Every structure is written in C-alpha cells, then in structure tokens.
Amino acid sequence: MQPLHFCNLNCWLPSPPSSPVGHLLKAPSSLSLATMTPSSLLLGACRTLVIFQLLACCLLPLGAQSQSQEFSLQMEPQDPVLPAGRSLLVNCSTSCPRPELITLETSLPKEVIDEDQGWTAFRLSNVTGDSKIICSAFCNGSQMTSNSSITVYRFPELVELDLLPPWQPVGENLTLQCHVWGGAPRAQLTLVLLRGEEELSRQRAVGEPAEGTATVLAGRGDYGAKFTCRAELDLRPRGLGLFQNTSTPRQLRTFVLPMAPPRLVAPLSLEVGTSWPVDCTLDGLFPVSEAQVQLALGDQMLNPAVTIHGDTLRATATVTARADQEGAQEIVCNVTLGGESREARANLTVFTFLGPILNLSETNVTEGSKVNVSCMAGPRVQVMLDGDLARAPGEPAQLQVTATEGDDGRYFFCNAILEVDGEVLHRNVTVQLRVLYGPKIDPAKCPQRLAWKDRTSHILQCEARGNPVPQLQCLHEGSRREVPIGTPFLVKLHHNGTYHCQAVSPRGTYTLLVVMHVQDRNSFVVSILIGVLVILGVVTAIVALICIFGKQTRSGIYHVNQQHTSLPLRPVQPKEAVELEQS
C-alpha cells in the first residue's frame, strides 16, 4: 500500500509566455496595477483576513511523484498590492503537458473568466483585506501548488488632533494627542505631530484608533501657534508613493496672569448722590489685549475706561452712590485672562448726610422782637449753633434772641458733624438776620462844629445808619441851602451858619445840628498886620529903655579902695554899677 502525504496548495501558477491566455491575462493585470495610483484609490472597509487551510490530501504513487517534480505551477501576479474594494485578475499556469484540474483556492469571491490547455484565469472581486491565495493542479496524478499574498491598502478614514485647552499657562507642559481611525497596512502607517512645520514627534500607528502623543513646554511664542497631526502611509517600498492625511489645525493661546491681585484705589466713604473716580491697575499681563476687567459697586456694574501700556492694564470708572446702597458696600475689581481671574476688593461706606438746616422764625424783624433760631440735621449728625452743641446727635440746637440794632446783619452759624469710618465730616450753613430800626446819626462820625476858611476845599463827613438805610442831607438853617456830604466842595462865606443834618427813612427822622464857621480871608491879613505892628512897637520900646539906662550908668560915682593904694584906678562897667546900686 502506498504511503499517504499532504499536498500544500498555497502556490501561484504563472502562465507560460507563449500561452494565448497568458496574453489575455497580462492586459487585465496591467490595468489593475494602473488603477493603484493615488488619484484612483478608494477607501474600503477592512475585513478579517482568512487563512486558508489545506484543502486536499492525495495519495500519489512514488514513481508518479518523482515524474511530476519535473514540471512547475506558476501564479501571476505575485504578492500584489491594491486598494481596498478593487478586483484582481489571477492567472494559474503550468508546464505540465497534460494538466488536470487547475483551481484557485481563496475565500474571496471568484469567477473563471478564461482557460485553455495549461492555464486558467480567475477574477477576484471586492478585495477588502489582506489574503492568501493558492493555485493547484494535478500532473500525472501528482498535485502541484503555488501561493501568493494579497496586500490591501487603505487611507485613514479620520485623522484628528484632540482639542487644545482654551488657554495654556506659559511655563507649563502641554500634551498633544492625535487619533487616527483606519489606514492599512499598519506597518507602513506613521503618526506625526507638528507645530507649524516643526516636527514634534513621529510614532508608528498601533491599535484602533491609533494614538500619538507629544509634550511641549508652552511659551509666549506659542501664542497663536497652530498644531496639527499628520498620518503618513508609506508605500514607496511597494512601488507606490507616500500618502499623507493631515488633521484640522488647532490654534493655541498661551497667557501669563500674575498671582498678585490688582491695585484698587477707591474712596473709603461716599455720600448718596455724589460721585468719585475708582482706579484698578494690574501689571505683567500677557497678552494684555485679551484681558477682561470688571468694576462693580455691590451689584451695580460700572462702565470702566480701559487703557493699555506695555503689559499693564488700567481701568478707571466713576462710581455714584445710590440711596438704596446706604451702608457697608464693596468695590470689586476683577481681571480675567485665560480662564483665570485676579480680584481686589475695597470697603466703601455709603452714607446720607442731611443738613444742616438752619431756621429763623423771622429773618426780617423790628427792633425789640423775639427771634427763635434752630439748627437740625439727619440721624447720627451732631449739630452746633453759634458754638453751642446740641444735647445729642440727631437732636436740634436752638436759641432765642431779642433783636437789637446791633443784630442787624448778624450771621447765625450752624455746623453739622458726622463721623463715618473714623473720618469726621463737617458741613456748615449760615443765615443772616435783618433788624428794622429808625435812622440815627453817630455824633462821632458827624462833627457838630466846623471852622473853615473862605475859598478853601473841604469835605463834610457825616454818616447815618438805620434799616432801611436812611437818606441823609444837611440844610442851612436860614436859606435851606444843602451842603454836599461826603464829596469835596469849595467853602465860601455864605456857607457860614447852622445846618440841620437829617437822616430820613420810612421808620422816622433823626436830626443833628452842625455849626459851620467860615472865616473871611481879609480879616485874617489885618490881624496879621496888627500883630506885626504891636511886636515892632514893643521891640522899639525895649531898645529905647536900654539906651537910656546905659547912659545913666556910665556917669556914676568912682570909689577908691584905701587898703590897696598901690593899685591904679579903673572905670566901673555898667553891669558892675548896677550891681553896686542894688547892693
């Protein structure tokens, strides 16, 4: 009994070049290869590769087996590469003169399109995955086989770079992740991560989906940088090209936000209805143009004016206190950049400062009337009226006066004091009192006796007071001639006499007598001459007496001193003679 052996059916059967069918198959084969250009490749779904098992086992006589080894079985094309979903023409041919049962073993849909002595052509349809095909034939009772591998390639269905964070802090690591779905053969598929045109990493595609990662240190220069992921299918070793598919670019935004809070300048207190500027500044921002700033008083959003200088942002707004905000409030400045924020807060007390209100029972009163004065203000406000404090904050200060002439034009002073957060605030108000009283002329300001000379210029100074202000005029007692008051005038002899100076107002009349004595210029000269003559007469008399007296003394008696006989006689001078006579 002949021993049994298993026949290997994994072989391709090339057709002889002289075979007419071989010429028929060459055209489709070349057509199939031409369709594997990048412009005509179609993406197809991947199927599971099926490995064919041994199909048959034949018992061959040992003598026949040795004879069959002299002939061969060939398959065309060998190890083809084609896009997924395409068809493939396969030719199995043998040199055996009388071959039997030429077949093609495959899991793919197939059909015989032509055959002849020594060869058979098959069409494989819808090739979607890598596969092995086997040509088999019998020659002289022995089985011959030839096998080949079909490689199917497909482009990635989707290449996607994961979303980047909206903002990336400068100085921190950023991890990029890329995913690729589909693509075959995986051994020739590579994932490349790029920043612009700069290659960051290159990795083989592994798994489904394939994933590639890269880590970069974010810097200011990465602001606005575009990152992409590229899938490269390299079929150049198989005689085709390098095929690339790039993801949608992702743009990165980096930022710098200092840890320090903004500098906030705001008032400590603010009265209802008043306004005050608020200033908020933060340095070291990048990019400063992307920063957002908000200013608020409590729940009231302010409308700041923002200015930028270098990496410094400054916001200025005007805050106006409302009545419903009275009490403790906060002014908040918030600067936001890159999804993070820095905040500064300042306490503000909104207060109401009512008053002071100063009231007089009457502002125009007659002399001797009673006037009630009161000063008041709002709650918590201490008032002081003309230096006198009220008994307690919130209570009024009062006083009563009897109007006199001296109170006319008097100002009453009311001071309101309010303490807000340790700060003492003052507010003042004054009211003037008018007292109605009759006209009066002050003798100290209107002299009653005047001595002036004729044809000299003088001013009659005279003042009257009263409320209402009186009319003042000075009239000559006899002629009723009026003399000017307060202005220069030329004094003449007819101004001599007594004048009635009268102050007249609706509240009465007041009269003061003024005597004006005017001296004539000629009488003055005569007086001078008389005086001069009198003086000359007196001088003349004195000189005459002296002369007479001098002659009498020179004719006097001479005395001889007997004790001194040796001394000569000398005349006695007039002065000495007088002294002697007196003795």
Side-chain angles (χ1 to χ4, degrees), residues 443-456:
K445 295 182 179 180
C446 190
Q448 285 82 43
R449 291 191 174 274
L450 298 171
W452 290 337
K453 294 184 174 127
D454 183 28
R455 300 185 180 278
T456 58

Side-chain angles (χ1 to χ4, degrees), residues 257 262 280 282 285 291-293 333-337 340-342:
L257 181 62
C280 181
L282 185 59
L285 295 169
Q292 303 292 324
V293 61
C333 175
N334 185 286
V335 179
T336 303
L337 179 61
E340 299 182 13
S341 62
R342 299 291 181 265

Side-chain angles (χ1 to χ4, degrees), residues 125-424:
S125 303
N126 194 25
V127 181
T128 57
D130 294 351
S131 178
K132 281 191 175 183
I133 54 178
I134 303 171
C135 278
S136 69
F138 287 90
C139 182
N140 297 327
S142 297
Q143 186 180 23
M144 298 179 295
T145 62
S146 178
N147 58 26
S148 177
S149 296
I150 300 176
T151 301
V152 173
Y153 70 89
R154 58 174 57 86
F155 298 132
E157 300 173 11
L158 179 63
V159 180
E160 186 175 73
L161 180 65
D162 286 0
L163 291 174
L164 301 180
W167 288 94
Q168 176 68 22
V170 169
E172 295 186 9
N173 287 329
L174 171 67
T175 300
L176 305 171
Q177 286 190 327
C178 172
H179 294 88
V180 176
W181 284 265
R186 284 300 177 98
Q188 276 71 48
L189 186 61
T190 304
L191 275 63
V192 183
L193 284 163
L194 303 126
R195 174 171 51 195
E197 297 299 325
E198 177 190 359
E199 188 173 304
L200 301 176
S201 71
R202 178 177 289 271
Q203 304 164 46
R204 289 288 182 184
V206 178
E208 180 62 30
E211 180 177 312
T213 61
T215 301
V216 295
L217 183 64
R220 294 195 178 200
D222 292 321
Y223 177 78
K226 292 183 178 180
F227 293 84
T228 55
C229 175
R230 186 170 67 204
E232 296 182 351
L233 185 61
D234 191 0
L235 299 179
R236 289 175 293 186
R238 298 297 187 93
L240 300 176
L242 175 65
F243 304 98
Q244 297 177 337
N245 192 2
T246 305
S247 69
T248 301
R250 306 284 190 191
Q251 191 171 30
L252 181 66
R253 294 192 296 175
T254 58
F255 75 100
V256 176
L257 181 62
M259 295 301 298
R263 299 188 302 274
L264 180 59
V265 179
L268 296 176
S269 59
L270 194 61
E271 186 179 359
V272 171
T274 61
S275 300
W276 200 266
V278 176
D279 185 273
C280 181
T281 306
L282 185 59
D283 301 323
L285 295 169
F286 173 82
V288 65
S289 59
E290 296 279 359
Q292 303 292 324
V293 61
Q294 287 185 338
L295 279 170
L297 170 61
D299 58 355
Q300 177 189 356
M301 299 302 298
L302 306 180
N303 185 22
V306 180
T307 57
I308 294 174
H309 182 71
D311 61 356
T312 300
L313 179 143
R314 180 181 181 183
T316 304
T318 299
V319 58
T320 302
R322 303 193 309 253
D324 59 340
Q325 295 171 328
E326 186 172 358
Q329 297 288 340
E330 271 190 333
I331 294 181
V332 181
C333 175
N334 185 286
V335 179
T336 303
L337 179 61
E340 299 182 13
S341 62
R342 299 291 181 265
E343 190 174 84
R345 294 175 176 267
N347 293 326
L348 171 68
T349 300
V350 178
F351 65 93
T352 300
F353 195 167
L354 297 178
I357 301 172
L358 180 58
N359 287 323
L360 274 66
S361 57
E362 289 185 77
T363 56
N364 288 277
V365 297
T366 57
E367 191 174 11
S369 300
K370 301 291 185 181
V371 179
N372 296 318
V373 185
S374 66
C375 175
M376 63 186 67
R380 304 184 298 110
V381 181
Q382 178 77 53
V383 294
M384 182 170 58
L385 178 59
D386 278 3
D388 294 331
L389 282 172
R391 289 178 299 178
E395 294 190 7
Q398 297 176 335
L399 61 86
Q400 186 181 71
V401 295
T402 300
T404 63
E405 174 188 338
D407 292 323
D408 183 40
R410 174 181 176 181
Y411 282 95
F412 292 92
F413 179 82
C414 179
N415 180 27
I417 305 167
L418 177 64
E419 183 176 351
V420 180
D421 290 338
E423 182 182 4
V424 178

